[in-house]
Amino acid sequence: MTKLLPLIALVWAAGTASAQPAAGSATAGSAAAPAAGSDAGSAAPAAGSAAPAAGSAAGAGSGSAATPPPPPPIVVVPCPTLPDHVVDKVDNVELPANEPIELKLNVAIAADLPANALLAANAGEVKCIKFQANGTYAFHSTANAHGLITVKAWYDVEADHPIEEQGTFWMPKAVNEAANESDDMFYSVLGLSIFFFVAITIVVIYFTWKYRHRPGHKPQPSPAHNDALEITWTVIPTIIVVFLFYYGWRSYIRVVTPPTKAVEIQVLAWRWNWQFTHSNGVTDSDLHVPAKTPVRLVMTSKDVLHSFYAPAMRVKQDVVPRRYTYAWFYAKTPGTYRLTCAEYCGTNHSQMACLSNDPETGACLRRAVVVVHSADDYERYLNDKQAESLTLPPIELGKMLYEKKGCNACHTVDGTPRVGPTWKQPDWDKMIQMNDGKMVKMDENYVRESILLPQAKARPGYPPSMPSFEGQLKEKELDGLIAYIKSLKQ
Ligand code: CUA
């Protein structure tokens, strides 16, 4: 029995050591991360999410009278020497707006809508075009095969890329510089545990066989103690445990001490979305960060406990209401990586930060991700994203916010109720009943109040679970959301 004591000590020490660097805990979770289910879907161009963008804006947006007429959706441009984006088959693809696209097909294609006629190309022709408006562009070949091009901002196209997960059996690819230390720690603890488990099991089985009861054998009294043996089984595990502690502590200190010069990003979590606010005020549900620069996250929650978990960064940190917690990492390589909430926060926890749903099944097509850019692209992201929120027509802005602010987690736009009422508004400008029996007119003022003070006038039959968006939406964004809801009248 005493033989087992040092082993228990070792296993216990191993357990605590691995729990310390936020990394060790990555192991079990990453394989079975709640996100696993819908990955295949995320690769597919999120069809449906981008409804006819360019066209509708002009007609429906009554508030957009002052904005200049939208640019033509497609223009022909000279081909770059090294094209980044090539369409070489009739298929569903996602492409960035305002970047040259090379059409290079061995069949002739034509656009489904006359307004997009410039999309047409002859078989074998190399032609370059540029999409100037987000939206979907359907096209077909002369052989009557059909394709759909979904055009989005370039950074959203990158966020839609399939998640990079290739790694070992135990862990996804490590992208954070500090991950090497914690990964080494994990593998040492794992190796030691396996070694001692196997060694002790073999000895137990051997002794059970060797000292089994046989007729004619008398049991001999056990020796009271053996100094040499006891010193050995105390000193060796102690040395191992001290090493584990030292390396665990050293990398833990690194994990909790961000460098003073870091890109700082504010993180706000709520049921069920993330909001990342950058230094220039740009907000997004995807975390866009520069590579080869320390990034520090200052995190808090609007409602309950969430946990920010980026497995490729080996970063997992609770996000707590009414206080700030911190995390930091230094991403080595650009790419698109998984991001999940790792703390059960309510019914939709496993769907937290779902940014696009299948319109028919309601299944999540894509969840928020970490996108690591080169330093230049991160700057470009900050500028382009800021410009986007200033130039989008109100309905388009509202539609974007519907997904980016996570409204879609609780509200549908097709008439079916979810956690909250649907945004489809047949009752616009009519009187509707509240849960206290009063009648209120469904108009701009009601929608505005419901966004800022959701519980002020609540509809019957829905839980009072919506958080306030007071202080988190600019006036223009509020107008956009109202315009979008209003546009869903029919
Ligand atoms: Cu947020 Cu789980």
Side-chain angles (χ1 to χ4, degrees):
M1 190 59 208
T2 39
K3 203 177 283 163
L4 285 175
L5 280 177
L7 175 77
I8 293 168
L10 175 69
V11 170
W12 174 82
T16 40
S18 72
Q20 276 179 6
S25 59
T27 55
S30 62
S38 66
D39 285 300
S42 70
S49 68
S56 68
S62 57
S64 63
T67 49
I74 300 177
V75 287
V76 178
V77 294
C79 285
T81 36
L82 284 170
D84 286 328
H85 315 281
V86 180
V87 175
D88 54 8
K89 51 184 183 287
V90 179
D91 201 352
N92 295 350
V93 285
E94 198 165 283
L95 292 167
N98 298 313
E99 287 184 21
I101 314 289
E102 189 174 285
L103 301 176
K104 198 178 184 180
L105 296 101
N106 47 20
V107 289
I109 57 163
D112 286 10
L113 291 177
N116 304 329
L118 286 175
L119 188 50
N122 299 321
E125 179 193 11
V126 175
K127 174 183 177 183
C128 289
I129 57 171
K130 199 161 86 171
F131 294 95
Q132 302 197 105
N134 293 358
T136 53
Y137 299 82
F139 68 105
H140 55 268
S141 71
T142 38
N144 232 5
H146 287 269
L148 186 72
I149 296 174
T150 304
V151 174
K152 294 182 166 183
W154 65 272
Y155 42 85
D156 285 332
V157 173
E158 288 195 12
D160 284 343
H161 281 170
I163 288 173
E164 291 183 33
E165 304 228 71
Q166 62 284 56
T168 66
F169 171 76
W170 301 98
M171 284 188 276
K173 178 174 134 181
V175 178
N176 185 3
E177 196 187 37
N180 292 345
E181 275 183 21
S182 52
D183 285 11
D184 290 350
M185 195 72 202
F186 168 75
Y187 288 119
S188 330
V189 170
L190 181 71
L192 278 166
S193 306
I194 291 173
F195 172 77
F196 280 102
F197 173 76
V198 170
I200 290 169
T201 308
I202 288 171
V203 170
V204 165
I205 292 170
Y206 173 67
F207 282 179
T208 313
W209 173 80
K210 183 169 181 198
Y211 297 111
R212 69 193 184 281
H213 175 74
R214 278 157 295 172
H217 277 253
K218 285 232 168 75
Q220 290 165 18
S222 301
H225 71 266
N226 180 328
D227 287 342
L229 187 62
E230 287 176 18
I231 289 171
T232 311
W233 81 37
T234 307
V235 170
I236 292 177
T238 305
I239 292 173
I240 295 175
V241 167
V242 165
F243 268 98
L244 290 181
F245 170 77
Y246 172 70
Y247 286 106
W249 173 77
R250 206 178 60 165
S251 89
Y252 176 72
I253 293 299
R254 253 177 80 129
V255 165
V256 295
T257 320
T260 42
K261 277 192 84 180
V263 168
E264 195 164 279
I265 297 170
Q266 310 288 321
V267 180
L268 183 64
W270 69 84
R271 292 180 293 177
W272 282 274
N273 203 18
W274 302 103
Q275 177 175 285
F276 301 101
T277 308
H278 298 260
S279 55
N280 68 342
V282 155
T283 64
D284 206 326
S285 294
D286 293 305
L287 174 56
H288 293 260
V289 297
K292 301 198 165 62
T293 308
V295 173
R296 180 173 191 255
L297 306 174
V298 180
M299 312 193 283
T300 192
S301 161
K302 242 202 250 192
D303 37 40
V304 299
L305 198 66
H306 300 269
S307 178
F308 175 94
Y309 180 29
M313 306 301 163
R314 308 288 191 266
V315 166
K316 186 197 255 173
Q317 174 63 53
D318 278 3
V319 182
V320 186
R322 296 189 299 282
R323 63 181 267 198
Y324 293 93
T325 53
Y326 309 92
W328 82 277
F329 54 85
Y330 178 102
K332 289 182 293 187
T333 38
T336 304
Y337 307 102
R338 186 180 291 287
L339 166 64
T340 65
C341 176
E343 182 76 55
Y344 180 70
C345 51
T347 26
N348 282 6
H349 155 73
S350 66
Q351 300 288 311
M352 178 141 162
C354 177
L355 300 183
S356 111
N357 299 88
D358 186 306
E360 267 143 46
T361 63
C364 186
L365 295 174
R366 178 168 97 70
R367 223 158 299 169
V369 289
V370 183
V371 187
V372 178
H373 297 282
S374 67
D376 288 353
D377 274 359
Y378 178 64
E379 284 302 313
R380 193 155 71 96
Y381 162 75
L382 291 182
N383 294 331
D384 291 1
K385 180 82 185 164
Q386 192 167 40
E388 181 192 42
S389 65
L390 294 174
T391 53
L392 275 184
I395 293 177
E396 286 307 303
L397 179 63
K399 185 174 156 47
M400 181 191 82
L401 293 171
Y402 169 70
E403 284 168 10
K404 287 283 180 177
K405 296 276 174 187
C407 314
N408 58 344
C410 302
H411 303 279
T412 67
V413 290
D414 62 5
T416 48
R418 204 176 276 169
V419 181
T422 178
W423 278 11
K424 195 172 162 93
Q425 284 314 331
D427 294 330
W428 190 264
D429 266 342
K430 295 195 189 105
M431 303 300 281
I432 52 168
Q433 195 177 25
M434 297 295 122
N435 57 8
D436 58 2
K438 292 209 183 91
M439 300 298 282
V440 171
K441 191 171 174 193
M442 163 62 80
D443 61 2
E444 287 87 347
N445 289 312
Y446 173 71
V447 172
R448 187 189 167 90
E449 186 183 54
S450 297
I451 294 172
L452 301 179
L453 296 166
Q455 264 56 264
K457 296 193 186 82
R459 311 268 293 268
Y462 297 101
S465 55
M466 174 159 160
S468 164
F469 283 78
E470 180 95 60
Q472 279 158 40
L473 293 164
K474 300 184 190 87
E475 275 307 308
K476 203 179 146 68
E477 293 178 324
L478 266 173
D479 291 345
L481 282 167
I482 294 169
Y484 179 50
I485 292 174
K486 197 174 164 183
S487 76
L488 299 166
K489 267 189 286 203
Q490 297 83 21

